[in-house]
């Protein structure tokens, strides 16, 4: 029965080829370190799901942000879990991204023909850091406020254009309602859009090129 | 695939993967549903006796409007809600307190003294001074509050 329905759709949609290309592709015999990219992707999905749920109650204005976050964690059923998953997932995602990158470096997987995969990876790392930076301000508590004051101030230390960067980031000379709103906008629209685009290219290349094999000692000689 | 009876390594691992994936999916979906429906599932706050004002203000035989402010907690905000109650008495002792919320689709009705009836502008409904439907789509009479008089003051039970 299920097979019949699956075939009916496949005849019209052709999903089986896509399924096979993604999940049934041939890979060299590799080790567990090669799962770090997939682990990172999993944390990305976790962030997306829990982040979307958080926006159902979160309000990005100075007079409501803190209270709405407290409301989520103390009043809403499972709110503590959803926020906790997003909070700890953020750290896990940074750690996993870096570990994945280390595996690519240490096994030389960035070399020809995978340079473009590497470059999309570099931008992915920037996006992941950007998520952490903008998300940190959103709870609008003391830690968030002063953490972001310091963070934007550091960006302001750049020579010549530093002050200008600082003002653009803050939307003015100080951290304000404008800063909170733009950090929120970047956190939930700009960065997710960039992440989806970059992950799509990254994954396309991985599937198209195939993943690298574990390098052997003899090959170096 | 296999010959039907025996489970080979490949389809076994496939099954495990689906199982783990399904568990993770349920692990997210169930809390997510609780999280989304949470505020809707909350019980209405406790009802309290709200003081409307002096009973002597009520004119005999004419619904008299009382407006009071009640504090309400909505989400993380405490705000004031205005409650409008029409009080009717025929003898100065027995009071009827009616809500001004139309029983059709929730617009606010008002007393039109010249026509001796309540009027709802949304779909032209008319209610008698006791709140009975005279004309229009409302399915029931106006809702009534429990009302009591103490030391010349009127109170209704509400939240
Ligand atoms: C959001 C962050 C990222 C996600 C979701 C992600 C995901 C993945 C996945 C699923 C793979 C398949 C192979 C494996 O898992 O090791 C992969 C491969 C690869 N990634 Fe990433 N990645 C991310 C960030 C990065 C970063 C920061 C770099 C380096 C700057 C990078 C460079 C590469 C390269 C070069 C490959 C090909 C490796 C090979 O063919 O053996 N990725 N990525
Ligand atoms: S809402 Fe009053 S008549 Fe429709």
């Amino acid at each position: 029965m299920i097979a019949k329905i699956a075939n009916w759709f496949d005849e019209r949609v052709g999903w089986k080829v896509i399924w096979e290309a993604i999940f049934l592709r041939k890979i060299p015999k590799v080790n567990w370190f090669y799962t770090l990219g997939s682990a990172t992707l999993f944390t990305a999905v976790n962030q997306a799901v829990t982040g979307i749920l958080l926006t159902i109650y979160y309000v990005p204005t100075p007079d409501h942000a803190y209270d709405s976050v407290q409301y989520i964690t103390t009043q809403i059923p499972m709110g503590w879990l959803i926020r906790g998953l997003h909070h700890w997932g953020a750290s896990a995602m940074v750690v996993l991204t870096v570990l994945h990158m280390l595996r690519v470096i240490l096994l030389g997987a960035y070399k020809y023909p995978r340079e473009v995969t590497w470059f999309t990876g570099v931008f992915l790392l920037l996006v992941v850091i950007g998520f952490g930076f903008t998300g940190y301000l959103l709870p609008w508590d003391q830690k968030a406020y002063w953490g972001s004051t310091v963070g934007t101030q550091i960006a302001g230390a750049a020579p010549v254009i530093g002050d200008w960067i600082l003002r653009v980031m803050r939307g003015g000379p100080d951290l304000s309602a404008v800063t909170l709103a733009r950090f929120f906008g970047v956190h939930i629209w700009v960065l997710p859009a960039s992440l989806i685009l970059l992950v799509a290219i990254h994954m396309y290349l991985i599937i198209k090129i195939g993943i690298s094999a574990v390098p052997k000692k003899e090959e170096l000689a | 695939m296999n010959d039907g009876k025996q489970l080979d390594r490949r389809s076994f691992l496939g099954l495990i993967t689906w199982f783990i994936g399904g568990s993770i999916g349920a692990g997210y979906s169930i809390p997510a549903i609780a999280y989304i429906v949470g505020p809707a599932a909350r019980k209405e706050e406790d009802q309290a006796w709200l003081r409307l004002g002096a009973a002597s203000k009520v004119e005999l035989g004419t619904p008299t409007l009382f407006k009071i402010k009640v504090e309400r907690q909505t989400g993380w905000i405490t705000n004031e809600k205005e409650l409008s109650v029409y009080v009717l008495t025929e003898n100065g002792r027995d009071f009827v307190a009616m809500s001004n919320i139309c029983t059709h689709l929730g617009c606010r009705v008002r007393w039109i003294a010249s026509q001796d009836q309540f009027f709802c502008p949304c779909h032209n409904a008319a209610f008698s001074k006791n709140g009975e439907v005279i004309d229009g789509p409302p399915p029931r009479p106006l809702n009534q509050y429990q009302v009591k008089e103490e030391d010349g003051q009127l109170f209704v039970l509400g939240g």
Side-chain angles (χ1 to χ4, degrees):
Chain A
M1 183 61 192
I2 294 173
K4 250 182 124 177
I5 298 172
N7 283 331
W8 189 91
F9 271 106
D10 185 50
E11 224 178 311
R12 287 143 243 258
V13 182
W15 61 272
K16 273 187 185 166
V17 214
I18 300 171
W19 177 268
E20 279 162 19
I22 296 176
F23 294 108
L24 305 179
R25 72 199 138 96
K26 302 264 184 291
I27 56 163
K29 182 152 179 56
V30 292
N31 56 47
W32 282 94
F33 293 115
Y34 285 71
T35 61
L36 285 166
S38 306
T40 313
L41 190 58
F42 177 78
T43 55
V45 174
N46 172 68
Q47 294 311 95
V49 172
T50 55
I52 288 169
L53 288 171
L54 287 174
T55 63
I56 291 177
Y57 299 108
Y58 176 76
V59 175
T61 61
D63 41 355
H64 294 303
Y66 180 79
D67 289 339
S68 63
V69 171
Q70 293 308 306
Y71 180 72
I72 292 170
T73 40
T74 62
Q75 306 296 127
I76 295 294
M78 296 294 149
W80 58 273
L81 179 68
I82 304 295
R83 183 177 173 215
L85 282 170
H86 200 76
H87 181 99
W88 295 105
S91 299
M93 188 167 172
V94 174
V95 171
L96 286 167
T97 308
V98 171
L99 289 178
H100 164 61
M101 191 172 81
L102 281 177
R103 140 15 222 162
V104 171
I105 294 171
L106 294 176
L107 298 183
Y110 52 83
K111 293 179 201 169
Y112 173 85
R114 300 189 175 80
E115 300 95 322
V116 181
T117 319
W118 170 266
F119 284 129
T120 56
V122 172
F123 286 107
L124 278 169
L125 183 64
L126 292 176
V127 167
V128 171
I129 293 168
F131 268 117
F133 184 66
T134 51
Y136 200 78
L137 179 64
L138 303 184
W140 201 253
D141 52 13
Q142 289 292 327
K143 197 171 70 157
Y145 187 88
W146 295 109
S148 300
T149 301
V150 170
T152 46
Q153 196 86 36
I154 291 172
V160 190
I161 52 165
D163 189 56
W164 185 75
I165 296 177
L166 177 140
R167 281 167 166 272
V168 171
M169 284 175 106
R170 290 185 182 172
D174 302 305
L175 235 68
S176 65
V178 180
T179 323
L180 181 56
R182 62 175 54 212
F183 271 44
F184 181 70
V186 170
H187 191 80
I188 73 153
W189 293 118
V190 180
L191 292 174
S194 319
L195 185 86
I196 289 170
L197 188 69
L198 288 166
V199 166
I201 303 172
H202 206 70
M203 301 310 294
Y204 164 76
L205 291 172
I206 292 155
I207 291 164
K208 167 90 182 152
I209 301 171
I211 63 169
S212 60
V214 186
K216 294 193 189 68
K217 284 216 174 84
E218 307 87 88
E219 283 175 2
L220 293 174
Chain B
M1 294 289 276
N2 52 41
D3 52 27
K5 286 277 162 294
Q6 243 180 341
L7 201 60
D8 58 34
R9 179 185 146 94
R10 190 182 169 83
S11 31
F12 175 71
L13 289 174
L15 272 179
I16 297 261
T17 308
W18 279 111
F19 178 75
I20 294 174
S23 310
I24 294 174
Y28 276 93
S29 317
I30 295 165
I33 291 168
Y35 176 90
I36 292 166
V37 304
R42 283 174 99 92
K43 283 194 212 77
E44 284 291 313
E45 276 142 71
D46 295 325
Q47 303 233 305
W49 285 102
L50 309 166
R51 195 174 68 88
L52 288 184
S56 55
K57 267 178 57 187
V58 185
E59 294 170 52
L60 281 191
T62 314
T64 310
L65 180 64
F66 287 87
K67 285 187 175 179
I68 56 165
K69 296 221 168 28
V70 244
E71 284 228 320
R72 278 208 129 201
Q73 183 74 26
T74 49
W76 53 92
I77 295 171
T78 315
N79 51 14
E80 276 194 337
K81 178 177 94 160
E82 202 174 54
L83 212 64
S84 296
V85 180
Y86 278 101
V87 181
L88 175 69
T89 182
E90 298 295 349
N91 54 19
R93 272 170 282 117
D94 306 313
F95 296 92
V96 178
M98 285 167 287
S99 159
N100 72 332
I101 298 172
C102 182
T103 52
H104 179 221
L105 295 171
C107 291
R108 301 298 183 259
V109 302
R110 61 171 184 270
W111 175 252
I112 310 287
S114 59
Q115 290 169 19
D116 211 33
Q117 61 184 26
F118 289 101
F119 175 68
C120 178
C122 290
H123 313 94
N124 292 329
F127 297 85
S128 74
K129 68 176 176 181
N130 311 307
E132 257 119 53
V133 183
I134 301 174
D135 195 16
R140 349 177 227 105
L142 292 175
N143 288 332
Q144 297 194 352
Y145 289 96
Q146 268 193 59
V147 59
K148 69 175 182 186
E149 190 198 348
E150 255 171 34
D151 305 326
Q153 297 287 319
L154 284 174
F155 293 84
V156 289
L157 192 62

